[in-house]
Amino acid sequence: MKSVTLNVQGMSCQHCVNSIEGALKEIGVSGKVNLKGESVEVSFDEQKVSLDQIKEAIEDQGYEVG
């Protein structure tokens, strides 16, 4: 398992947290959102999902991954 912290702009509430964590769960990734830190810590199996797929899942929810 690999762990990475991504900077994510545009998050402001619990709905944002639920949207991102739900989208990550759908692709088999464990994610923990930090609203104040504007970041998402993800743990994933590189054999099953790529970092680009994770970023795309977050961006598809309307947030910007930096």
Side-chain angles (χ1 to χ4, degrees):
M1 289 294 249
K2 182 174 182 173
S3 292
V4 175
T5 300
L6 302 171
N7 294 321
V8 179
Q9 282 82 43
M11 303 181 299
S12 62
C13 63
Q14 188 61 42
H15 174 67
C16 300
V17 173
N18 294 342
S19 293
I20 292 172
E21 290 180 353
L24 293 174
K25 188 179 249 185
E26 284 183 20
I27 61 169
V29 174
S30 172
K32 181 161 176 62
V33 175
N34 178 339
L35 281 177
K36 288 184 181 181
E38 294 187 325
S39 65
V40 178
E41 184 177 332
V42 294
S43 298
F44 61 101
D45 183 344
E46 292 179 286
Q47 302 298 320
K48 295 181 180 179
V49 65
S50 71
L51 190 54
D52 285 339
Q53 287 173 300
I54 293 169
K55 290 178 181 179
E56 184 177 326
I58 295 170
E59 290 171 347
D60 284 350
Q61 296 303 307
Y63 306 98
E64 184 178 329
V65 179

